[in-house]
Amino acid sequence: MCDSCGCDITPDHSHDPKIVEVHQSLLAANTAMAKKNRAHIEKMGAVAINMISSPGSGKTTLLEKTIEAIGDSLRIGVIEGDIETERDAERIRAKGVPVIQLTTGGACHLDAAQIHKGLHLLEKEPDGDKLDLLVIENVGNLVCPATFDLGEHHRVVLVSVPEGPDKPAKYPKAFTSSQVFIISKTDLLPYFDFPVEEARAEALQLNPKLLVMDLSATSGQGFEQWLDYLKEICRK
Amino acid sequence: MHEMSLVQGLLSQLHSLAREHNKTKVISVSMDIGPLSGVVIDSFQFAFDILSDEDPLTHGASLVIESSPATYHCCGCGAKIEEEEKPEACPVCLENLLSPEGGDDIILRQVQME
């Protein structure tokens, strides 16, 4: 037992204060795992995108229409992240592509360790190891997912027309950490006050390197640019 | 909301450090959380207060958070500007082409233990 405090945790510990200089990111473990994931995805011959948005911005619908429209020109695999339920994975599975549902059980974001697990599960699915494009659909949340690198190559942030144009200003991290910003549900523009050019300019002010697209998965408006972008990033 | 899981990660790192240095009590923790890290400092502090209180290693430990400013790089003229808040426009060329660099770190800097 320790003479100084009577504790019995480690008998040989000392009570001299000690200052330890750490200088390590709290995200170091996640970043290291994300790096492994990226290497794993590249070994599979695929390119990965991480889709981030609020709940209900149309990530899953965009994905369904993308799978339909892209046909045989790209082999797509999907990792779905949600707090609960298999519903999104069922919708994607119905389109005939390999898909894994990750349920976080309450956590507001996916992290690299979950994706590591998801990659191994996806490879066990039929054709899950023969992909050109891996799409990770993050938990619907415009805040927390922006902090966690999953090992993706490109990050795509969506805002739908009904949500309003002020999202880049209010949730900057999702926009400063992304490469693509999609304004979705443009078929609803006649019914909502959403100045597309203002939203585009505001997002570019935050991140001048951002590629901004506006599209509607329902009407097909702007879809060509999105499909061309996906084919471009997957070109070997 | 993810501040809670970040603090859980911090506590497990403190446990590893305590084992490594053969200490049983954390007295103070100092962190550097950048303004573009996506972390709400009040929420981080709140999560730390709750979670550290439940753990004998960290019970009563203090948390000091510093926030280093971000650097903004102007894609128009190439100027580098260090500011707490993102300026409206580049003070050199007056264009709105400022891209942030850094300021997104969540760094555990120093731990005092006994």
Side-chain angles (χ1 to χ4, degrees):
Chain A
M1 185 185 281
C2 165
D3 295 334
S4 319
C5 66
C7 71
D8 55 359
I9 303 167
T10 48
D12 54 346
H13 76 271
S14 75
H15 282 269
D16 302 329
K18 178 173 177 129
I19 293 174
V20 180
E21 300 288 342
V22 188
H23 289 279
Q24 198 184 29
S25 172
L26 274 201
L27 295 168
N30 186 75
T31 306
M33 184 59 88
K35 209 173 150 189
K36 279 189 194 165
N37 289 347
R38 202 153 16 242
H40 187 159
I41 294 160
E42 283 162 14
K43 215 173 147 194
M44 290 162 76
V47 166
I49 63 170
N50 176 6
M51 289 171 71
I52 295 179
S53 83
S54 319
S57 296
K59 293 187 295 299
T60 314
T61 303
L62 174 62
L63 203 43
E64 287 175 314
K65 299 286 178 181
T66 303
I67 294 164
E68 281 173 21
I70 220 144
D72 294 333
S73 53
L74 284 183
R75 295 167 299 178
I76 299 181
V78 179
I79 295 179
E80 283 288 343
D82 274 301
I83 290 177
E84 294 287 353
T85 83
E86 278 268 339
R87 286 180 197 179
D88 281 0
E90 283 162 15
R91 285 173 60 184
I92 299 302
R93 198 169 289 124
K95 299 289 165 195
V97 302
V99 57
I100 288 298
Q101 177 79 52
L102 298 175
T103 46
T104 63
C108 50
H109 58 271
L110 289 172
D111 61 32
Q114 288 170 301
I115 295 302
H116 171 79
K117 193 177 94 184
L119 284 171
H120 284 283
L121 290 170
L122 189 65
E123 280 182 318
K124 289 186 191 138
E125 291 287 300
D127 296 324
D129 57 345
K130 299 183 196 75
L131 304 179
D132 300 308
L133 176 66
L134 170 67
V135 181
I136 302 166
E137 187 184 330
N138 219 311
V139 177
N141 177 347
L142 205 46
V143 187
C144 314
T147 302
F148 296 85
D149 183 4
L150 303 180
E152 74 268 25
H153 298 88
H154 304 274
R155 190 174 282 188
V156 178
V157 57
L158 272 86
V159 172
S160 65
V161 164
E163 290 171 66
D166 55 358
K167 295 296 170 289
K170 285 186 174 170
Y171 304 91
K173 173 103 177 167
F175 297 84
T176 54
S177 69
S178 290
Q179 284 74 44
V180 180
F181 168 29
I182 293 180
I183 299 167
S184 63
K185 306 191 189 180
T186 53
D187 53 300
L188 298 177
L189 279 172
Y191 314 104
F192 290 89
D193 183 20
F194 192 108
V196 172
E197 288 314 312
E198 268 177 45
R200 181 191 300 268
E202 196 155 358
L204 286 174
Q205 214 173 322
L206 277 172
N207 179 358
K209 293 175 194 149
L210 208 53
L211 174 61
V212 188
M213 304 180 198
D214 54 278
L215 57 78
S216 163
T218 308
S219 74
Q221 181 267 319
F223 229 67
E224 278 305 309
Q225 192 192 358
W226 166 240
L227 297 179
D228 287 347
Y229 163 77
L230 292 177
K231 287 175 195 164
E232 180 63 33
I233 60 170
C234 293
R235 196 153 57 184
K236 294 184 185 95
Chain B
M1 199 168 156
H2 61 301
E3 283 79 1
M4 212 58 146
S5 56
L6 288 172
V7 171
Q8 281 167 341
L10 169 63
L11 292 190
S12 79
Q13 200 169 347
L14 292 176
H15 274 275
S16 314
L17 285 166
R19 268 196 307 276
E20 187 186 326
H21 295 276
N22 218 11
K23 302 288 177 192
T24 53
K25 192 88 194 140
V26 171
I27 300 161
S28 72
V29 177
S30 91
M31 305 246 350
D32 192 339
I33 300 182
L36 304 177
S37 63
V39 172
V40 180
I41 289 180
D42 285 348
S43 304
F44 193 92
Q45 181 76 57
F46 180 65
F48 182 84
D49 291 347
I50 292 174
L51 295 175
S52 65
D53 191 54
E54 293 169 351
D55 191 325
L57 178 72
T58 52
H59 180 80
S62 66
L63 172 66
V64 180
I65 301 175
E66 282 182 33
S67 186
S68 308
T71 306
Y72 294 92
H73 169 248
C74 177
C75 299
C77 71
K80 279 195 189 298
I81 301 114
E82 201 169 273
E83 288 283 351
E84 287 282 327
E85 297 239 333
K86 186 172 188 269
E88 280 284 309
C90 171
V92 182
C93 71
L94 307 176
E95 289 276 2
N96 273 330
L97 294 167
L98 294 172
S99 179
E101 281 173 7
D104 56 352
D105 295 324
I106 310 170
I107 304 279
L108 171 57
R109 290 198 330 187
Q110 197 189 66
V111 183
Q112 190 180 7
M113 298 178 285
E114 65 169 31

